[in-house]
Amino acid sequence: MTTNSSPQLWLYDTTLRDGTQREGLSVSIEDKLRIARRLDQLGIPFIEGGWPGANPKDVQFFWQLQEDPLKLAEIVAFCSTRRPNSTAATEPMLQDILAAGTRWVTIFGKSWDLHVTTSLKTTLEENLAMIRDTIEYLRSQGRRIIYDAEHWFDGYKHNRDYALQTLEAAIASGAEWLVLCDTNGGTLPHEISQIVKDVVGMTGELGTGKDSSQSPVPQIGIHTHNDSEMAVANAIAAVMAGAKMVQGTINGYGERCGNANLCSLIPNLQLKLGYSCITEDQLTQLTEASRFVSEVVNLAPDEHAPFVGLSAFAHKGGIHVSAVERNPLTYEHIQPEQVGNHRRIVISEQSGLSNVLAKARSFGIDLDQLKVQAKQILRRLKDLESEGFQFEAAEASFALLMHEALGGRQKFFEVKGFQVHCDLIEGKEASNALATVKLAVDGKNILEAAEGNGPVAALDAALRKALVNFYPQIATFDLTDYKVRILNGHTGTAAKTRVLVESGNGRQRWTTLGVSTNILEASYQAVVEGLEYGLLLHSQAEAALKASS
């Protein structure tokens, strides 16, 4: 828990710039604005919005934030130092930076002499002039400067004296932050710790050189990449060595192997080390923010991510579940609610009776006094899992299984049969499918047909078409994900197939499954149970509303 006396750390999010350099990640202007506002709500003080002028999207992004600014966070423009053998005042890209209208600008420059001579193809002295001239010019235009020392740790290890000269140039020109970057992600924590300590100890001395009498003594920041799976550890090592700013991205998105993951850094720094990063209330929004960003950028969330993943506080082994039921500290390093997550009891072939009892309680079913039924459910569960069912990823199907074992599974409808016909046209990418379903609802038979761009889509459409007149709420249900796994591939086309279907109603999501040697049969099972569970949720919500009125 943080207090007013907790040491302050400044978080700097670069999801919208460095994060978008991840392969396969692309965002629109609207996406960037939504993410920026969500990060603002989360309490991130510095949000790097991109490189104005690098593309029309970033230009428009900064313009729109000038019209409708963030509430708390500083939006930061990002840019390199001027080009060799030019002047900052005549540099077109710096005019784009000024037009972005941000109070803070992050400028990156070269720290490693190898990059100066190889990448920039200029002299070491000209690189120092580029750093000085760029920062001085932006300062003269009223901007405050964060200086990112690119490839800092590699530069320091290869040519310590020159790397320190680049920092001295930034300090003398008026940079308020010096951010040390492990750009290649290859440095280890013990190296990070020692080098950051050295720089923190020398910062004041570096600022006493020529023309530096009016310059503020800057604070040190850290920017790490994950190429050695060390980004979070390296950032923590830097903080413990004296860094006061931590740069990273939500979910660790970034080029190559990604950046330091703020969703891991924030709780570790705040809950474990006692630093003040964001408020406790904001910390409880962390899981939601992580999932929001993954949804906006259209990447599946990492279910096993620390702190914010769906499985971060999931318990599967029977002994674990029994212990956690008595005292969560036995197998949980923090309370899940502190980061906005929750505890989950996973049901699988490894489950014991305690798993079944705990899972039943999570669905509002009290089996503690019905141990015989609970044992029957456990036996049925293990029999089904031996056939290929996997309920740990399909909790809605397990809930229906429990209701059925207790004799309380509500029959909203009965499927009496279905047929699917596909037209495959040679030379055409798309195939049309026609599904016909025969249902019974309240004793009334319904025969309905619908088309889709595939057999599962057609089957889903036919089921909805047949049921929507009886259950209008089905119109709000969406099939949001469809996964297929072959369970015993050695049997070829006769292999058993497991299908997972994720459905939602705009407020909740649930997953159901089906298993069969016939992929359409497995899909049918999963789709039908998805509709059934959605109707069950609606029925339970209506009952709760009536009870409260």
Side-chain angles (χ1 to χ4, degrees):
M1 179 181 295
T2 60
T3 66
N4 291 335
S5 60
S6 301
Q8 176 70 48
L9 277 182
W10 297 93
L11 300 176
Y12 182 111
D13 180 276
T14 181
T15 305
L16 299 177
R17 199 275 306 171
D18 220 346
T20 61
Q21 293 177 199
R22 171 184 166 128
E23 184 178 5
L25 191 156
S26 179
V27 288
S28 65
I29 297 170
E30 291 74 18
D31 291 337
K32 292 189 69 167
L33 290 167
R34 291 175 67 199
I35 291 172
R37 299 196 191 285
R38 192 66 190 81
L39 295 174
D40 190 25
Q41 293 174 23
L42 187 61
I44 306 296
F46 292 98
I47 300 172
E48 188 175 87
W51 187 327
N55 57 71
K57 185 191 303 181
D58 281 357
V59 171
Q60 186 66 30
F61 170 78
F62 283 98
W63 284 354
Q64 291 201 28
L65 283 182
Q66 288 183 50
E67 295 293 322
D68 186 12
L70 301 178
K71 288 183 170 59
L72 298 172
E74 294 277 358
I75 194 73
V76 183
F78 179 87
C79 189
S80 72
T81 56
R82 67 159 171 82
R83 288 171 292 186
N85 305 313
S86 65
T87 63
T90 60
E91 180 65 71
M93 69 177 177
L94 294 182
Q95 298 310 308
D96 290 326
I97 292 294
L98 295 175
T102 62
R103 183 166 64 157
W104 285 88
V105 175
T106 293
I107 292 295
F108 76 90
K110 301 296 186 183
S111 305
W112 190 359
D113 56 358
L114 172 70
H115 270 262
V116 175
T117 56
T118 303
S119 299
L120 295 180
K121 296 182 179 179
T122 191
T123 65
L124 300 186
E125 185 53 45
E126 174 62 9
N127 181 55
L128 298 178
M130 291 159 61
I131 296 170
R132 286 192 294 265
D133 187 24
T134 304
I135 295 176
E136 287 172 356
Y137 174 68
L138 290 173
R139 289 274 290 173
S140 74
Q141 301 300 306
R143 301 305 190 265
R144 301 177 71 177
I145 304 301
I146 299 166
Y147 177 69
D148 274 9
E150 189 186 36
H151 291 100
W152 166 258
F153 293 94
D154 292 310
Y156 186 90
K157 287 185 284 186
H158 285 85
N159 188 337
R160 176 180 177 276
D161 289 342
Y162 182 72
L164 291 173
Q165 287 179 48
T166 65
L167 291 190
E168 185 170 9
I171 295 172
S173 306
E176 296 183 53
W177 286 95
L178 302 177
V179 178
L180 311 180
C181 303
D182 185 29
T183 310
N184 285 355
T187 312
L188 296 177
H190 71 282
E191 299 174 292
I192 295 278
S193 180
Q194 187 57 59
I195 294 172
V196 172
K197 281 181 184 176
D198 291 346
V199 174
V200 169
M202 290 185 289
T203 302
E205 298 174 16
L206 291 171
T208 59
K210 184 177 68 174
D211 301 327
S212 65
S213 58
Q214 302 301 316
S215 303
V217 176
Q219 298 189 83
I220 301 301
I222 184 69
H223 177 113
T224 56
H225 283 255
N226 206 36
D227 299 72
S228 300
E229 195 66 40
M230 292 291 168
V232 169
N234 281 344
I236 291 174
V239 168
M240 296 183 73
K244 301 299 182 186
M245 173 184 282
V246 178
Q247 296 191 356
T249 63
I250 296 295
N251 300 325
Y253 297 147
E255 196 158 10
R256 303 186 312 277
C257 305
N259 288 47
N261 187 350
L262 289 177
C263 295
S264 295
L265 275 170
I266 293 171
N268 272 317
L269 292 167
Q270 188 151 322
L271 299 177
K272 304 294 184 70
L273 295 175
Y275 289 95
S276 176
C277 299
I278 56 180
T279 69
E280 290 182 8
D281 286 344
Q282 289 166 334
L283 185 59
T284 64
Q285 301 173 29
L286 187 63
T287 297
E288 182 186 345
S290 165
R291 294 173 185 173
F292 174 86
V293 173
S294 68
E295 287 288 335
V296 172
V297 302
N298 198 28
L299 290 174
D302 180 0
E303 294 185 351
H304 299 278
F307 296 102
V308 297
L310 184 66
S311 299
F313 301 95
H315 305 282
K316 180 174 177 178
I319 293 174
H320 289 220
V321 172
S322 180
V324 166
E325 287 280 291
R326 296 188 184 96
N327 187 340
L329 287 175
T330 53
Y331 286 99
E332 291 177 354
H333 64 119
I334 66 165
Q335 297 173 18
E337 296 76 15
Q338 290 178 284
V339 291
N341 211 335
H342 64 278
R343 181 176 305 116
R344 292 175 56 244
I345 304 302
V346 176
I347 295 296
S348 75
E349 79 283 353
Q350 297 183 29
S351 299
L353 188 59
S354 55
N355 295 60
V356 174
L357 296 174
K359 176 58 71 177
R361 282 193 292 273
S362 73
F363 287 110
I365 302 171
D366 187 3
L367 289 179
D368 290 273
Q369 304 305 316
L370 301 169
K371 295 288 180 71
V372 174
Q373 289 89 335
K375 290 179 180 178
Q376 290 173 348
I377 292 172
L378 183 58
R379 282 196 297 271
R380 177 64 175 152
L381 165 73
K382 294 193 175 186
D383 287 344
L384 287 171
E385 292 235 343
S386 68
E387 296 175 18
F389 286 78
Q390 189 179 59
F391 290 96
E392 63 186 79
E395 295 180 340
S397 286
F398 182 72
L400 294 174
L401 174 67
M402 285 193 294
H403 283 290
E404 184 172 1
L406 296 172
R409 184 168 180 173
Q410 189 173 348
K411 286 289 184 181
F412 295 97
F413 58 90
E414 180 184 357
V415 180
K416 294 192 169 183
F418 72 92
Q419 290 183 337
V420 179
H421 175 78
C422 293
D423 289 326
L424 298 177
I425 303 172
E426 188 174 355
K428 299 278 187 178
E429 289 188 7
S431 63
N432 294 320
L434 174 68
T436 304
V437 296
K438 186 175 182 180
L439 306 178
V441 181
D442 294 333
K444 182 179 179 180
N445 290 327
I446 305 105
L447 184 65
E448 196 58 81
E451 289 184 319
N453 60 2
V456 178
L459 178 60
D460 182 51
L463 287 166
R464 292 166 184 271
K465 192 174 176 182
L467 292 169
V468 71
N469 290 332
F470 297 91
Y471 305 108
Q473 60 270 25
I474 279 182
T476 67
F477 297 175
D478 290 315
L479 196 158
T480 58
D481 200 4
Y482 175 83
K483 297 184 179 75
V484 176
R485 181 177 176 188
I486 304 302
L487 301 179
N488 49 347
H490 62 278
T491 58
T493 56
K496 189 171 285 188
T497 301
R498 179 166 63 229
V499 170
L500 286 174
V501 166
E502 184 182 75
S503 306
N505 59 11
R507 301 179 305 278
Q508 297 164 282
R509 288 192 174 188
W510 57 92
T511 304
T512 49
L513 84 162
V515 175
S516 174
T517 53
N518 183 327
I519 189 172
L520 288 180
E521 169 69 17
S523 301
Y524 148 77
Q525 294 172 12
V527 169
V528 166
E529 288 203 346
L531 293 172
E532 183 182 351
Y533 188 74
L535 292 172
L536 176 63
L537 288 178
H538 182 80
S539 175
Q540 291 174 338
E542 283 194 330
L545 188 61
K546 288 179 181 177
S548 63
S549 60

